[in-house]
Amino acid sequence: MIITLKDTEVEIVKHIGALKSKRCRIANAKNTPYRREQEELDIDAFGAEVAFCKLFNYFPDLTSNVRIKGHDVTLNNNLKVDIKQTDLPQGRLIARRTKTIEDADIYCLMRGVMPTYKFAGWCYAETILKEKNLQDLGGYGAPVYVCPDETLIKTPTFEKTVEPNKNNSLINKKRINQMADKKYINMCW
């Protein structure tokens, strides 16, 4: 799925993305090791967030607040999404080693640069944040989690279900209990 932002959306993204970039530098947020200017990278990353929201009908976070951990979008089913962006056509979904299961429920990869992005897929936090996925790609200062492309879920279902082959994990038991509690609460209303 490919989405192109309109001219007005591009202007908004450039303005807010530049503000976010400046605030991140002031807050000493880690730079992305790359061959382009950090502000340009930050604008492209924010553009990916806006493109994701536009593609799936969510409202993006238009504040310029610094988010070093956490997530970018909360879906209607309360899933927390951390959106990652790459300008490489075969770029992979990468998360820093400092990320935790509590930061986001799913990680989504958008490929492209302003104004055009392609939804490449997503995975559960439990899928990417595994020791076996740690790789030293150089420049990050430490190994990072890398999700193999073949494990990305290509359909945008974003369901809060138990991850396959993880039925006995503590995390999924907690999710099942949360889902049961929410269903009970919804039935009471």
Side-chain angles (χ1 to χ4, degrees):
M1 292 189 252
I2 296 175
I3 184 128
T4 300
L5 301 178
K6 295 179 181 174
D7 291 344
T8 52
E9 294 165 331
V10 169
E11 290 306 313
I12 291 168
V13 165
K14 284 181 179 177
H15 177 73
I16 295 173
L19 281 174
K20 284 182 179 243
S21 185
K22 287 179 183 127
R23 288 189 173 191
C24 283
R25 301 300 74 77
I26 292 169
N28 290 323
K30 290 188 178 185
N31 289 343
T32 303
Y34 216 60
R35 61 188 179 279
R36 298 189 298 153
E37 292 295 320
Q38 188 62 44
E39 184 174 299
E40 186 181 353
L41 294 170
D42 292 337
I43 290 170
D44 280 342
F46 182 59
E49 293 175 27
V50 172
F52 174 90
C53 290
K54 182 177 179 177
L55 190 60
F56 299 111
N57 201 25
Y58 288 96
F59 197 79
D61 178 4
L62 298 177
T63 66
S64 59
N65 298 336
V66 176
R67 283 189 319 259
I68 294 174
K69 293 190 82 170
H71 60 283
D72 301 311
V73 179
T74 301
L75 305 182
N76 293 339
N77 58 2
N78 292 322
L79 278 176
K80 299 177 291 185
V81 182
D82 193 353
I83 300 160
K84 301 299 181 183
Q85 176 268 340
T86 179
D87 66 346
L88 302 172
Q90 300 302 316
R92 297 176 289 174
L93 179 58
I94 296 172
R96 290 192 183 272
R97 192 173 190 167
T98 56
K99 290 289 188 173
T100 65
I101 297 291
E102 291 77 27
D103 290 334
D105 296 305
I106 65 174
Y107 287 79
C108 175
L109 178 61
M110 300 291 285
R111 291 185 178 128
V113 293
M114 288 279 287
T116 303
Y117 297 90
K118 178 182 179 184
F119 171 75
W122 64 279
C123 70
Y124 290 101
E126 294 91 345
T127 301
I128 189 171
L129 303 180
K130 292 180 178 177
E131 290 294 317
K132 73 175 189 173
N133 291 335
L134 283 172
Q135 294 181 28
D136 189 354
L137 300 179
Y140 286 93
V144 292
Y145 295 108
V146 180
C147 185
D149 214 39
E150 60 273 6
T151 62
L152 288 179
I153 301 167
K154 307 295 185 196
T155 56
T157 52
F158 307 124
E159 293 176 0
K160 197 172 203 172
T161 60
V162 176
E163 185 183 7
N165 304 319
K166 292 290 181 178
N167 294 331
N168 296 324
S169 77
L170 181 62
I171 293 165
N172 285 318
K173 285 180 182 178
K174 182 179 172 184
R175 280 192 176 163
I176 290 169
N177 290 335
Q178 288 173 342
M179 287 168 54
D181 290 345
K182 286 181 183 174
K183 284 181 183 174
Y184 176 75
I185 291 169
N186 288 338
M187 289 170 48
C188 294
W189 288 100

